[in-house]
Amino acid sequence: MKVGVRAHDYGRMGIKELAALLHEEGYEAAQLALPKAFQEINSYEDITLKKLEQIRTAFEEQKVDIPVFGCYMDLGNPDDQVREYAVKTLKTCLSLGKELGAKVVGTETAYPHLSAEERLQWKPYMRDSILRVMEEAVRVDMRLAVEPVWWHPLEDLETTLDIVKRVGDEAHLRLIFDASNLLKTPEDTDQDAAWSTWLEAVGAYVDVMHIKDFTLGAAGEYQPEVLGAGVMKYDAVSRWLAKQNREIYLLREEMNPQFAKEDIAFMRKL
């Protein structure tokens, strides 16, 4: 197991500066959304082989792995132009991610917070997009990792299993497991049973987990918290991790640098 972070939670920095900071903070890995993380890169279209080499070299020197090349795209959007841009960009990033040496290229399946009706409407578009991107993943031999989120088209275990079955390629399709993004109703969810069920069903596809915690305010608003201070219960995740004999990356999201040490300690205990 290796502990890491979503790098741009520290803000945009120079390539060498960010790699050095992450090493100093004690991280062994980082999820990189390049335009959000680096001052030298302003968009996915701005990425060059020279810049990828600079990033790869800087992170290798600091002994910080790059498990996820983040390219989160609106894959289920019914708007043809939006969806076409998403598919095209994600396909390009598969080659860029491989050049960088990332383990996977990661994406969710939508941007907005969708209603149940919208999620149903967006699912066929999401499936089509994933299947089209997977053709490129196979062609360039790079892994695509999709992240289930309850307010997106890839909303639940049933839909996730459907995608896994339709793709039928464990070598190129992976999953990013974020339990907090699947916790729709904290007050009446048996998290131990829920995460055990998820990991028993699709754990073989999970190489990366996002770890975060939250509470809900009086009006139901989402409030990030230090790990262990919110509603999340990771006991089932911890038991699953203990049984694994392969590299699993635990990546902190929504990190507050002020509490980085506490969060790293929490993840190591998992």
Side-chain angles (χ1 to χ4, degrees):
M1 186 189 77
K2 290 188 176 181
V3 167
V5 68
R6 184 175 64 181
H8 64 264
D9 284 350
Y10 281 90
R12 291 182 81 215
M13 298 184 186
I15 292 170
K16 291 184 177 180
E17 179 187 7
L18 183 55
L21 173 62
L22 296 179
H23 173 77
E24 291 168 5
E25 289 282 82
Y27 297 109
E28 301 162 296
Q31 175 167 323
L32 299 180
L34 274 58
K36 295 182 178 181
F38 300 117
Q39 293 172 346
E40 294 90 340
I41 298 173
N42 296 312
S43 68
Y44 287 106
E45 291 75 19
D46 193 36
I47 299 171
T48 64
L49 294 180
K50 181 179 180 180
K51 291 174 181 175
L52 291 176
E53 176 63 24
Q54 291 172 346
I55 296 167
R56 183 172 63 247
T57 299
F59 278 71
E60 285 177 353
E61 289 176 350
Q62 297 295 339
K63 297 181 173 56
V64 178
D65 292 356
I66 306 173
V68 182
F69 182 111
C71 179
Y72 282 38
M73 290 286 124
D74 207 3
L75 293 179
N77 198 302
D79 185 299
D80 291 344
Q81 289 186 326
V82 172
R83 199 169 64 258
E84 190 61 35
Y85 171 80
V87 169
K88 179 181 178 181
T89 303
L90 197 50
K91 284 183 174 182
T92 299
C93 284
L94 286 167
S95 295
L96 297 175
K98 184 174 184 179
E99 184 70 25
L100 182 62
K103 307 295 184 183
V104 303
V105 172
T107 184
E108 292 177 352
T109 56
Y111 286 159
H113 200 297
L114 302 173
S115 67
E117 182 179 353
E118 289 170 327
R119 294 197 295 274
L120 185 61
Q121 178 192 3
W122 286 40
K123 279 184 185 181
Y125 299 109
M126 172 202 68
R127 287 194 292 263
D128 177 70
S129 293
I130 290 176
L131 291 172
R132 291 167 62 196
V133 174
M134 284 305 304
E135 293 176 355
E136 183 71 1
V138 173
R139 190 186 74 80
V140 302
D141 192 22
M142 182 61 184
R143 290 176 163 191
L144 173 72
V146 292
E147 182 176 344
V149 179
W150 74 259
W151 59 89
H152 286 171
L154 194 64
E155 62 177 317
D156 52 25
L157 182 55
E158 180 183 3
T159 308
T160 303
L161 287 171
D162 176 66
I163 290 295
V164 165
K165 182 178 180 180
R166 287 172 186 266
V167 171
D169 186 349
E170 185 176 337
H172 293 102
L173 178 67
R174 310 301 292 168
L175 298 174
I176 295 174
F177 183 76
D178 185 334
S180 69
N181 282 350
L182 298 168
L183 187 57
K184 185 176 182 179
T185 54
E187 66 280 359
D188 57 14
T189 296
D190 181 344
Q191 293 188 49
D192 201 84
W195 313 145
S196 294
T197 299
W198 266 92
L199 292 170
E200 181 179 350
V202 297
Y205 287 80
V206 175
D207 305 310
V208 174
M209 289 187 168
H210 286 164
I211 307 295
K212 54 182 185 277
D213 209 342
F214 68 96
T215 54
L216 297 176
E221 67 275 19
Y222 181 92
Q223 299 174 337
E225 301 287 353
V226 176
L227 297 180
V231 301
M232 291 303 303
K233 301 188 183 305
Y234 284 105
D235 295 340
V237 171
S238 185
R239 291 197 303 271
W240 181 81
L241 287 168
K243 297 177 182 177
Q244 304 310 303
N245 58 1
R246 57 193 175 91
E247 196 88 277
I248 307 289
Y249 289 92
L250 304 184
L251 304 181
R252 175 67 163 116
E253 280 196 317
E254 299 175 351
M255 186 275 315
N256 182 337
Q258 182 180 350
F259 302 107
K261 299 302 181 185
E262 291 91 332
D263 285 345
I264 289 173
F266 182 95
M267 289 189 287
R268 291 204 184 286
K269 288 180 181 178
L270 290 181

